[in-house]
Amino acid sequence: VRLVESGGGLAQAGGSLRLSCAASEITFSVYTMGWFRQAPGKEREFVASISGSGSNTYYLDSVKGRFSISRDNAKNTVYLQMNSLKPEDTAIYSCATKAYFTAPVWNYWGQGTQVTVSS
């Protein structure tokens, strides 16, 4: 399984970025996909997840209403639309996959993409 993130970069507070994660060597539509982030000196934290069909989503409380996760199963790609960005959103964002929506373990991870939000 290979997961490759893109779309990170520098944004101003209040701005937007859209992250993408392309998956290969996986039956993409079967698996739940998620986004995580890790800020300098902090533990990695869950951001959002989406079920294989896209019908179920779940978000970290602090990003609800600002971030939106979606997927295109025809393109084997999951997205994270980030609006109203805040400096505290600065982190390395990584995508991951697991077997089903309520599975406790995330099996595969991408390398991550840097998101920096300036004030």
Side-chain angles (χ1 to χ4, degrees), residues 2 14-16 28 33-34 38 48-49 62-63 68 73-74 76 87 89 92 102 105 114 118:
R2 186 163 181 247
S16 299
F28 185 74
M33 300 298 297
Q38 187 167 20
S49 62
S62 62
V63 307
S68 177
N73 287 345
N76 282 14
D89 294 320
I92 296 174
T102 54
V105 177
Q114 177 70 49
S118 62

Side-chain angles (χ1 to χ4, degrees), residues 24-39:
S24 58
E25 301 174 32
I26 186 175
T27 306
F28 185 74
S29 62
V30 172
Y31 290 91
T32 288
M33 300 298 297
W35 287 96
F36 290 75
R37 66 186 182 187
Q38 187 167 20

Side-chain angles (χ1 to χ4, degrees), residues 6-80:
S6 62
L10 177 64
Q12 290 187 334
S16 299
L17 285 173
R18 189 195 195 201
L19 305 183
S20 299
C21 171
S24 58
E25 301 174 32
I26 186 175
T27 306
F28 185 74
S29 62
V30 172
Y31 290 91
T32 288
M33 300 298 297
W35 287 96
F36 290 75
R37 66 186 182 187
Q38 187 167 20
K42 295 187 177 181
E43 296 288 321
R44 181 170 60 194
E45 67 176 352
F46 166 86
V47 176
S49 62
I50 186 167
S51 60
S53 66
S55 59
N56 294 304
T57 58
Y58 188 69
Y59 294 92
L60 176 70
D61 282 348
S62 62
V63 307
K64 284 181 181 177
R66 300 190 298 122
F67 291 10
S68 177
I69 189 170
S70 62
R71 65 191 296 158
D72 185 339
N73 287 345
K75 295 182 178 180
N76 282 14
T77 301
V78 62
Y79 305 96
L80 185 68

